[in-house]
Every structure is written in C-alpha cells, then in structure tokens.
Amino acid sequence: MKRKRFVIAVLVSVIMIFCLSGCESSARVSIEDYQWEVTTIQDNDSGYVAACSDGYTDLFPDAAEIDISCTAGNGELTLTNRTDNQTYSGTYVKESSEPESIIYRISICEEDGTAVCAWTVYSDGSTTPTLIFSVGGYTLNFEGA
C-alpha cells in the first residue's frame, strides 16, 4: 500500500512538472510582439482565398500574390503593402484575453473589426505566432516574423 502511494505521488509530480513547463513555454503572444507578415486574405462570405504571400502560391494558384506586413504599438497599427507601395494606418484596443489568446478591437481605413493573437500549434508540435484580422468583409491571416 505504501509503495502504491509512492508511485502515485511520483506520477502526479511528473504530470504536474510537464503541465507547468508546458504553460511557461506557451506564453501568450500579443499584437506588439512581432512584425507580422500576411499569409492569406480570405473573403468572409465565400471563404475563397483572394490573395496570398509567395510561400502560399502553390496552395492557392488562383489567388493574387501579395506582400503585406503589419506592425503595432501604442494602440496604432501600420499595414504596409509592399506589392503596391501603399501604407495604411489604424488603431487597436485590447478587448479581452484568455490564457491562449488576446482579442483586440481594430479600425483600419474607417472599417471596424476584430483581431486575435495566439499560437498556432501544428500536428508535429511546432508553433507559430499568429495574428488574424476580420475587417471589411475579409480575414487577413498573419504569421509573426
């Protein structure tokens, strides 16, 4: 009986160590943490990928190729479209946060929307910081660089 309690105590300790170490390595990502590079732009009504970055053209051959980055700080957003040398300004305000994500209220070019920052976790266990805008009828997906 004593040995069984010892084994259970060791197993619980090991599980707690794994859980706690996992929590520390998955700290929340925020909009200010990265320069964000767009991967895809989707139409909210149809889900159709209207545009994508160079790394995604094989997956979406009918989509327009784009090169857009986003930076954020002090409540201000800057989107730079390097495809046509245009810059767009906007604002963001933190709306809520969960252990895995932060949700923002955004405004870009007089369009209001929502943004969320979180880690994307892939089946092989790798992770990528991800920012997703839903604004003006489109969803813009970004990866942190």
Side-chain angles (χ1 to χ4, degrees):
M1 185 68 164
K2 217 175 193 183
R3 182 163 171 75
K4 187 176 181 180
R5 284 186 189 166
F6 175 75
V7 170
I8 291 172
V10 169
L11 286 173
V12 168
S13 297
V14 168
I15 291 170
M16 287 179 63
I17 289 170
F18 281 120
C19 289
L20 292 174
S21 65
C23 290
E24 187 165 333
S25 67
S26 63
R28 238 186 337 234
V29 60
S30 77
I31 200 168
E32 298 93 356
D33 290 343
Y34 294 90
Q35 174 169 319
W36 301 96
E37 301 295 330
V38 77
T39 55
T40 60
I41 298 177
Q42 292 176 264
D43 180 280
N44 285 352
D45 291 330
S46 67
Y48 176 76
V49 175
C52 64
S53 65
D54 180 44
Y56 290 79
T57 55
D58 287 346
L59 294 172
F60 306 106
D62 295 333
E65 188 175 328
I66 48 153
D67 185 7
I68 298 175
S69 67
C70 176
T71 56
N74 300 317
E76 296 183 10
L77 296 169
T78 302
L79 276 77
T80 304
N81 185 343
R82 295 181 289 250
T83 307
D84 63 7
N85 296 317
Q86 296 291 315
T87 301
Y88 306 93
S89 298
T91 59
Y92 67 95
V93 175
K94 183 172 155 182
E95 189 170 88
S96 66
S97 61
E98 300 293 327
E100 302 85 20
S101 62
I102 301 174
I103 298 171
Y104 301 90
R105 185 74 25 221
I106 61 171
S107 181
I108 302 170
C109 299
E110 300 180 19
E111 293 280 348
D112 294 328
T114 305
V116 63
C117 273
W119 290 100
T120 297
V121 180
Y122 299 97
S123 60
D124 66 359
S126 63
T127 60
T128 300
T130 305
L131 171 64
I132 301 172
F133 286 0
S134 181
V135 63
Y138 291 92
T139 298
L140 289 78
N141 296 284
F142 295 87
E143 290 182 350

